[in-house]
């Protein structure tokens, strides 16, 4: 598996650290309520298909990335700097 | 008063040679990390050029010449080698002295790229990686900065505490490449 880092270019998977679902970027407001916080902390989708994950280019440029990939075919649809994704959410 | 003797990171380890490839220690007079503040990249580059003679390197690039170099070292960060960084650059970015934190080595000679091919998961052949280009990558599980300093030479930086392991792994790869002829 190879991931195309927006800064470094295409790199081997071993340079990256896997964090988990990109839902981490959508932190609820402090007063969003128990249901929203329960969802944010505990509940994760487990899709057979498209998913968005957070990866860190740990051995490379250290940037956090959002990788959209397919868990069935291993196809990678796109990689973005988490910084830019977060900025787009505001 | 105790008399303290400064030792270089690769003291007693280098130089080593194997057939056509040699590994020697480089001792830059200073290593400084420079991280431009958000939105100040352009001003930081201008200020760096004025102060040290080279622009801020973009991703995978090194700028400057022997004597004063800037090596891109990660997102929003570069290392400035061999020259002091004036304190007034601190208005454009964060400056940290890292002079004693890194072991710097030069791997040189015909076959140097074959040695690195055994340790690094990036294509470092001349066609894909030209003089003046740099990568932040892993070298046998160690975080490393590798810059091509010439057609057959690479400057390698690893954290100082990894000096012995890095020399060992490079030496093993050098012997292995030499054995294949």
């Amino acid at each position: 598996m190879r991931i195309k880092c927006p800064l470094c270019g295409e790199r081997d998977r071993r340079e990256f650290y896997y964090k988990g679902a990109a839902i981490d970027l959508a932190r609820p407001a402090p007063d969003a309520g128990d249901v929203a916080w329960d969802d944010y902390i505990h509940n994760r989708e487990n899709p057979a298909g498209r998913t968005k994950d957070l990866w860190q280019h740990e051995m490379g440029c250290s940037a956090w990335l959002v990788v959209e990939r397919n868990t069935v075919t291993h196809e990678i649809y796109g990689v973005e700097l988490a910084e830019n994704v977060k900025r787009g959410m505001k | 008063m105790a008399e303290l003797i400064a030792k270089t990171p690769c003291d007693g380890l280098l130089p080593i040679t194997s057939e056509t490839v040699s590994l020697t220690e480089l001792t830059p007079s200073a290593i400084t990390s420079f991280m431009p503040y958000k939105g100040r990249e352009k001003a930081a580059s201008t200020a760096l050029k004025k102060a040290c003679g080279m622009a801020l390197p973009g991703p995978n690039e090194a700028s400057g010449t022997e004597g004063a170099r800037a090596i891109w070292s990660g997102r929003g960060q570069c290392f400035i080698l061999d020259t002091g960084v004036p304190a007034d650059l601190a208005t454009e970015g964060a400056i940290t002295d890292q002079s004693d934190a890194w072991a710097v080595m030069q791997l040189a000679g015909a076959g140097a790229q074959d040695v690195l091919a055994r340790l690094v998961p990036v294509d470092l052949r001349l066609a894909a990686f030209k003089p003046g280009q740099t990568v932040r990558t892993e070298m046998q599980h160690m975080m490393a900065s590798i810059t091509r300093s010439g057609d057959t030479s690479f400057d390698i930086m690893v954290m100082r505490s990894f000096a012995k392991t890095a020399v060992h792994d490079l030496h093993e790869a050098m012997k292995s490449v030499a054995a294949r002829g």
Side-chain angles (χ1 to χ4, degrees):
Chain A
M1 180 173 169
R2 291 171 74 79
I3 295 175
K4 194 172 178 185
C5 171
L7 296 175
C8 302
E10 195 178 87
R11 293 295 179 86
D12 192 87
R13 182 254 175 272
R14 83 186 85 158
E15 289 188 11
F16 297 86
Y17 165 77
Y18 174 77
K19 169 71 165 61
I23 194 170
D24 282 15
L25 295 174
R27 186 185 173 91
D31 57 357
D34 293 346
V35 176
W37 273 97
D38 179 55
D39 231 24
Y40 174 70
I41 293 170
H42 301 293
N43 298 331
R44 294 290 178 269
E45 301 292 331
N46 184 20
R50 274 185 185 248
T51 181
K52 280 188 178 179
D53 309 315
L54 275 177
W55 293 73
Q56 191 195 15
H57 196 187
E58 189 187 19
M59 289 289 190
C61 62
S62 305
W64 280 95
L65 309 171
V66 175
V67 178
E68 188 173 10
R69 66 189 177 96
N70 191 312
T71 57
V72 177
T73 63
H74 305 303
E75 184 183 351
I76 292 179
Y77 302 109
V79 184
E80 271 189 275
L81 288 175
E83 180 190 11
N84 295 346
V85 174
K86 182 75 185 172
R87 200 172 286 148
M89 288 163 70
K90 280 176 188 164
Chain B
M1 194 178 148
E3 199 169 315
L4 302 176
I5 302 164
K7 281 185 172 180
T8 62
C10 300
D11 185 71
L13 300 171
L14 295 179
I16 50 175
T17 302
S18 185
E19 297 284 339
T20 59
V21 184
S22 66
L23 186 65
T24 49
E25 179 168 26
L26 298 181
T27 50
S29 60
I31 304 172
T32 311
S33 78
F34 181 48
M35 301 180 78
Y37 296 128
K38 203 177 263 296
R40 304 290 298 169
E41 289 83 1
K42 213 166 169 186
S45 185
T46 309
L48 182 65
K49 188 151 190 152
K50 200 169 154 222
C52 302
M54 66 274 185
L56 202 64
N60 302 329
E61 288 173 4
S63 60
T65 52
E66 208 119 335
R69 298 191 290 158
I71 296 174
W72 179 82
S73 57
R75 173 173 162 261
Q77 187 192 65
C78 71
F79 288 150
I80 297 163
L81 274 71
D82 280 317
T83 180
V85 178
D88 58 4
L89 225 60
T91 55
E92 309 299 342
I95 299 170
T96 314
D97 181 14
Q98 306 219 6
S99 301
D100 292 326
W102 296 85
V104 190
M105 293 162 260
Q106 185 168 74
L107 185 72
Q113 64 185 20
D114 302 324
V115 171
L116 286 176
R118 290 171 182 248
L119 305 171
V120 179
V122 180
D123 187 356
L124 297 180
R125 289 173 299 174
L126 191 56
F129 190 62
K130 299 195 163 47
Q133 285 189 283
T134 188
V135 285
R136 251 320 261 276
T137 182
E138 72 164 27
M139 187 176 76
Q140 198 82 327
H141 307 301
M142 279 168 283
M143 183 194 280
S145 158
I146 302 174
T147 306
R148 188 184 269 279
S149 45
D151 281 356
T152 57
S153 71
F154 299 88
D155 293 358
I156 302 167
M157 295 173 70
V158 295
M159 286 177 194
R160 186 184 181 122
S161 54
F162 291 139
K164 202 169 175 183
T165 311
V167 168
H168 170 80
D169 287 340
L170 281 162
H171 196 195
E172 289 302 309
M174 286 161 70
K175 285 190 280 188
S176 170
V177 167
R180 301 252 165 167

